[in-house]
Protein backbone atom coordinates (compact mmCIF):
# COMPACT_ATOMS: atom_id res chain seq x y z
CA UNK A 1 0.00 0.00 0.00
CA UNK A 2 2.77 2.57 0.81
CA UNK A 3 4.45 1.70 -2.50
CA UNK A 4 1.23 2.32 -4.42
CA UNK A 5 0.78 5.67 -2.66
CA UNK A 6 4.34 6.67 -3.48
CA UNK A 7 3.94 5.65 -7.10
CA UNK A 8 0.69 7.59 -7.37
CA UNK A 9 2.20 10.76 -5.89
CA UNK A 10 5.23 10.48 -8.19
CA UNK A 11 2.93 10.10 -11.18
CA UNK A 12 0.93 13.17 -10.15
CA UNK A 13 4.13 15.19 -9.65
CA UNK A 14 5.35 14.11 -13.08
CA UNK A 15 2.02 15.11 -14.66
CA UNK A 16 1.98 18.50 -12.92
CA UNK A 17 5.51 19.29 -14.19
CA UNK A 18 4.56 18.43 -17.76
CA UNK A 19 1.30 20.37 -17.37
CA UNK A 20 3.31 23.49 -16.54
CA UNK A 21 5.54 22.95 -19.59
CA UNK A 22 2.52 22.50 -21.85
CA UNK A 23 0.78 25.63 -20.53
CA UNK A 24 3.90 27.76 -21.07
CA UNK A 25 4.46 26.29 -24.54
CA UNK A 26 0.86 26.86 -25.68
CA UNK A 27 0.86 30.39 -24.24
CA UNK A 28 4.02 31.28 -26.18
CA UNK A 29 2.61 29.77 -29.39
CA UNK A 30 -0.63 31.73 -28.97
CA UNK A 31 1.08 35.06 -28.23
CA UNK A 32 3.62 34.87 -31.06
CA UNK A 33 1.11 33.81 -33.71
CA UNK A 34 -1.51 36.20 -32.34
CA UNK A 35 0.84 39.14 -32.87
CA UNK A 36 1.65 37.83 -36.37
CA UNK A 37 -2.05 37.70 -37.27
CA UNK A 38 -2.57 41.25 -35.97
CA UNK A 39 0.40 42.46 -38.01
CA UNK A 40 -1.02 40.94 -41.19
CA UNK A 41 -4.50 42.30 -40.42
CA UNK A 42 -3.16 45.86 -39.99
CA UNK A 43 -0.89 45.81 -43.06
CA UNK A 44 -2.78 45.12 -46.25
CA UNK A 45 0.38 44.93 -48.36
CA UNK A 46 1.34 41.75 -46.45
CA UNK A 47 -1.75 39.95 -47.78
CA UNK A 48 -0.73 38.67 -51.20
CA UNK A 49 -0.10 35.40 -53.05
CA UNK A 50 3.37 34.99 -51.56
CA UNK A 51 2.04 35.12 -48.00
CA UNK A 52 -1.31 33.29 -48.19
CA UNK A 53 0.17 29.95 -47.14
CA UNK A 54 2.23 31.58 -44.37
CA UNK A 55 -0.92 33.30 -43.09
CA UNK A 56 -2.73 29.97 -43.13
CA UNK A 57 0.12 28.36 -41.20
CA UNK A 58 0.05 31.21 -38.67
CA UNK A 59 -3.70 30.79 -38.13
CA UNK A 60 -3.31 27.01 -37.72
CA UNK A 61 -0.49 27.48 -35.20
CA UNK A 62 -2.52 30.09 -33.32
CA UNK A 63 -5.39 27.60 -33.04
CA UNK A 64 -2.92 24.96 -31.85
CA UNK A 65 -2.05 27.20 -28.93
CA UNK A 66 -5.54 28.48 -28.12
CA UNK A 67 -7.72 25.44 -28.90
CA UNK A 68 -5.64 22.28 -29.35
CA UNK A 69 -3.53 23.05 -26.28
CA UNK A 70 -6.39 23.28 -23.77
CA UNK A 71 -8.12 20.30 -25.41
CA UNK A 72 -4.90 18.26 -25.17
CA UNK A 73 -4.47 19.10 -21.50
CA UNK A 74 -8.13 18.30 -20.84
CA UNK A 75 -8.12 14.91 -22.53
CA UNK A 76 -4.73 13.98 -21.06
CA UNK A 77 -6.04 14.65 -17.56
CA UNK A 78 -9.51 13.15 -18.19
CA UNK A 79 -9.49 10.39 -20.82
CA UNK A 80 -7.64 7.10 -20.44
CA UNK A 81 -6.21 5.51 -23.60
CA UNK A 82 -8.41 2.64 -24.74
CA UNK A 83 -11.30 3.77 -22.51
CA UNK A 84 -13.82 3.15 -25.28
CA UNK A 85 -15.42 5.28 -27.98
CA UNK A 86 -17.66 8.17 -26.98
CA UNK A 87 -18.81 11.15 -29.02
CA UNK A 88 -17.81 13.69 -26.39
CA UNK A 89 -14.30 12.21 -26.18
CA UNK A 90 -14.10 11.98 -29.96
CA UNK A 91 -15.07 15.64 -30.51
CA UNK A 92 -12.62 16.86 -27.87
CA UNK A 93 -9.80 14.92 -29.52
CA UNK A 94 -10.82 16.15 -32.97
CA UNK A 95 -10.29 19.74 -31.75
CA UNK A 96 -7.00 18.61 -30.22
CA UNK A 97 -5.72 16.94 -33.39
CA UNK A 98 -7.10 18.86 -36.37
CA UNK A 99 -5.17 22.11 -35.98
CA UNK A 100 -1.91 20.27 -35.26
CA UNK A 101 -2.38 18.12 -38.36
CA UNK A 102 -3.22 21.22 -40.41
CA UNK A 103 -0.05 22.93 -39.22
CA UNK A 104 2.05 19.94 -40.28
CA UNK A 105 0.36 19.68 -43.68
CA UNK A 106 0.93 23.41 -44.21
CA UNK A 107 4.68 22.85 -43.84
CA UNK A 108 4.56 20.27 -46.64
CA UNK A 109 2.39 22.57 -48.78
CA UNK A 110 4.83 25.48 -48.34
CA UNK A 111 7.68 23.25 -49.51
CA UNK A 112 5.74 22.05 -52.55
CA UNK A 113 4.77 25.64 -53.42
CA UNK A 114 8.44 26.69 -53.35
CA UNK A 115 9.37 23.62 -55.42
CA UNK A 116 6.79 24.56 -58.05
CA UNK A 117 8.04 28.17 -58.07
CA UNK A 118 11.61 26.95 -58.65
CA UNK A 119 10.93 24.32 -61.31
CA UNK A 120 8.18 26.16 -63.19
CA UNK A 121 8.73 29.89 -62.55
CA UNK A 122 6.61 31.09 -65.48
CA UNK A 123 3.62 28.89 -64.62
CA UNK A 124 3.97 29.92 -60.99
CA UNK A 125 3.86 33.63 -61.86
CA UNK A 126 0.59 33.29 -63.78
CA UNK A 127 -1.16 31.18 -61.14
CA UNK A 128 -4.35 32.82 -59.93
CA UNK A 129 -5.26 33.45 -56.32
CA UNK A 130 -8.07 30.87 -56.36
CA UNK A 131 -5.42 28.13 -56.70
CA UNK A 132 -4.03 29.14 -53.30
CA UNK A 133 -7.48 29.31 -51.77
CA UNK A 134 -8.28 25.81 -53.04
CA UNK A 135 -4.96 24.54 -51.64
CA UNK A 136 -5.78 26.05 -48.23
CA UNK A 137 -9.25 24.45 -48.20
CA UNK A 138 -7.76 21.08 -49.19
CA UNK A 139 -5.22 21.27 -46.35
CA UNK A 140 -7.96 21.82 -43.77
CA UNK A 141 -10.03 19.02 -45.28
CA UNK A 142 -7.16 16.52 -45.36
CA UNK A 143 -6.18 17.47 -41.78
CA UNK A 144 -9.47 15.96 -40.61
CA UNK A 145 -8.44 12.51 -41.88
CA UNK A 146 -5.44 11.84 -39.56
CA UNK A 147 -7.16 13.81 -36.78
CA UNK A 148 -10.25 11.58 -36.93
CA UNK A 149 -8.20 8.40 -37.26
CA UNK A 150 -6.02 9.26 -34.27
CA UNK A 151 -9.02 10.28 -32.14
CA UNK A 152 -10.86 7.02 -32.83
CA UNK A 153 -7.79 4.80 -32.41
CA UNK A 154 -6.73 6.53 -29.17
CA UNK A 155 -10.05 5.57 -27.62
CA UNK A 156 -10.21 2.07 -29.10
CA UNK A 157 -6.65 0.91 -29.85
CA UNK A 158 -4.18 3.43 -28.33
CA UNK A 159 -1.06 1.63 -29.53
CA UNK A 160 -2.19 1.95 -33.15
CA UNK A 161 -2.85 5.70 -32.80
CA UNK A 162 0.88 6.35 -32.58
CA UNK A 163 1.34 5.09 -36.14
CA UNK A 164 -1.04 7.78 -37.44
CA UNK A 165 1.12 10.65 -36.18
CA UNK A 166 4.35 8.84 -37.02
CA UNK A 167 3.18 8.35 -40.62
CA UNK A 168 2.09 11.98 -40.93
CA UNK A 169 5.33 13.39 -39.49
CA UNK A 170 7.50 11.12 -41.67
CA UNK A 171 5.52 12.08 -44.79
CA UNK A 172 5.85 15.80 -44.01
CA UNK A 173 9.58 15.55 -43.25
CA UNK A 174 10.15 13.54 -46.44
CA UNK A 175 8.26 16.13 -48.52
CA UNK A 176 10.15 19.06 -46.98
CA UNK A 177 13.60 17.47 -47.29
CA UNK A 178 13.13 16.19 -50.86
CA UNK A 179 11.59 19.50 -52.00
CA UNK A 180 14.42 21.62 -50.63
CA UNK A 181 17.13 19.28 -51.89
CA UNK A 182 15.67 19.58 -55.41
CA UNK A 183 15.34 23.37 -54.97
CA UNK A 184 18.97 23.69 -53.85
CA UNK A 185 20.26 21.60 -56.76
CA UNK A 186 18.14 23.52 -59.25
CA UNK A 187 19.23 26.95 -57.99
CA UNK A 188 22.88 25.89 -58.07
CA UNK A 189 22.60 24.84 -61.74
CA UNK A 190 20.57 27.88 -62.83
CA UNK A 191 22.44 30.28 -65.10
CA UNK A 192 22.02 34.00 -64.23
CA UNK A 193 19.93 35.89 -66.81
CA UNK A 194 18.24 39.23 -67.35
CA UNK A 195 15.73 38.27 -64.68
CA UNK A 196 18.41 37.83 -62.01
CA UNK A 197 16.52 40.29 -59.78
CA UNK A 198 13.43 38.11 -59.83
CA UNK A 199 15.54 35.02 -59.23
CA UNK A 200 17.20 36.70 -56.26
CA UNK A 201 13.78 37.63 -54.86
CA UNK A 202 12.57 34.04 -55.24
CA UNK A 203 15.70 32.78 -53.51
CA UNK A 204 15.16 35.11 -50.56
CA UNK A 205 11.54 33.98 -50.26
CA UNK A 206 12.58 30.33 -50.47
CA UNK A 207 15.20 30.76 -47.74
CA UNK A 208 12.72 32.68 -45.57
CA UNK A 209 10.13 29.92 -45.88
CA UNK A 210 12.77 27.31 -45.09
CA UNK A 211 13.50 29.16 -41.83
CA UNK A 212 9.78 29.33 -41.05
CA UNK A 213 9.38 25.60 -41.74
CA UNK A 214 12.43 24.77 -39.61
CA UNK A 215 11.18 26.67 -36.56
CA UNK A 216 7.63 25.37 -36.99
Amino acid sequence: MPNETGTSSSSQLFRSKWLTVFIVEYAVISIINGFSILTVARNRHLRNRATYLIINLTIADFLVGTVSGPMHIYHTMTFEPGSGFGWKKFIVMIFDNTFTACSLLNLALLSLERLHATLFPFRHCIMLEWVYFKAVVCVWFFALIPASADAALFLIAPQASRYVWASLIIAVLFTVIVSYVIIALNLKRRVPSYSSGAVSSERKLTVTLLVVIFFS
Side-chain angles (χ1 to χ4, degrees), residues 65-76:
T66 56
V67 179
S68 294
M71 291 296 104
H72 180 75
I73 293 171
Y74 175 75
H75 94 69
T76 301

Side-chain angles (χ1 to χ4, degrees), residues 1-2 10 13 17 21 24 43-44 47 53 68 72-73 77 79 95 97 101 103 105 140 142 176 181 186 188-189 212:
M1 189 68 177
S10 298
L13 180 62
K17 286 182 177 179
V21 172
V24 172
N43 297 275
R44 190 170 183 177
R47 302 194 293 272
L53 299 183
S68 294
H72 180 75
I73 293 171
M77 304 296 290
F79 306 151
F95 279 106
N97 296 333
S103 180
L105 290 173
W140 283 96
F142 284 117
V176 171
V181 166
N186 187 271
K188 189 174 289 187
R189 289 200 304 262
V212 170

Side-chain angles (χ1 to χ4, degrees), residues 10-212:
S10 298
S11 177
Q12 289 178 356
L13 180 62
F14 180 77
R15 279 191 175 188
S16 65
K17 286 182 177 179
W18 275 109
L19 180 62
T20 303
V21 172
F22 283 143
I23 291 173
V24 172
E25 179 186 2
Y26 294 137
V28 170
I29 290 172
S30 302
I31 292 169
I32 291 174
N33 288 285
F35 276 119
S36 299
I37 293 171
L38 285 176
T39 302
V40 172
R42 290 178 178 177
N43 297 275
R44 190 170 183 177
H45 69 278
L46 294 177
R47 302 194 293 272
N48 53 59
R49 280 194 330 155
T51 60
Y52 286 153
L53 299 183
I54 300 177
I55 294 170
N56 191 46
L57 175 63
T58 303
I59 293 172
D61 286 344
F62 176 75
L63 292 172
V64 168
T66 56
V67 179
S68 294
M71 291 296 104
H72 180 75
I73 293 171
Y74 175 75
H75 94 69
T76 301
M77 304 296 290
T78 308
F79 306 151
E80 289 294 331
S83 57
F85 185 85
W87 282 110
K88 179 184 176 182
K89 299 176 184 178
F90 183 74
I91 292 172
V92 168
M93 293 202 63
I94 283 290
F95 279 106
D96 176 10
N97 296 333
T98 300
F99 304 122
T100 306
C102 185
S103 180
L104 285 169
L105 290 173
N106 260 292
L107 300 181
L109 183 60
L110 280 167
S111 301
L112 292 174
E113 190 266 347
R114 284 294 86 204
L115 179 63
H116 184 269
T118 303
L119 297 180
F120 310 104
F122 179 73
R123 290 185 192 175
H124 188 77
C125 288
I126 62 175
M127 273 201 321
L128 301 177
E129 290 188 352
W130 65 266
V131 176
Y132 286 85
F133 293 138
K134 286 178 70 174
V136 167
V137 171
C138 287
V139 163
W140 283 96
F141 174 77
F142 284 117
L144 287 170
I145 298 174
S148 302
D150 178 74
L153 289 172
F154 179 85
L155 299 172
I156 300 170
Q159 294 298 327
S161 69
R162 298 176 183 177
Y163 294 107
V164 175
W165 284 112
S167 301
L168 179 61
I169 292 170
I170 290 171
V172 169
L173 283 175
F174 179 80
T175 302
V176 171
I177 292 171
V178 170
S179 296
Y180 271 90
V181 166
I182 296 174
I183 289 170
L185 293 174
N186 187 271
L187 290 177
K188 189 174 289 187
R189 289 200 304 262
R190 183 171 290 177
V191 179
S193 63
Y194 66 91
S195 60
S196 58
V199 172
S200 176
S201 177
E202 284 295 323
R203 284 185 178 181
K204 288 179 181 178
L205 181 58
T206 301
V207 172
T208 301
L209 291 180
L210 177 60
V211 173
V212 170

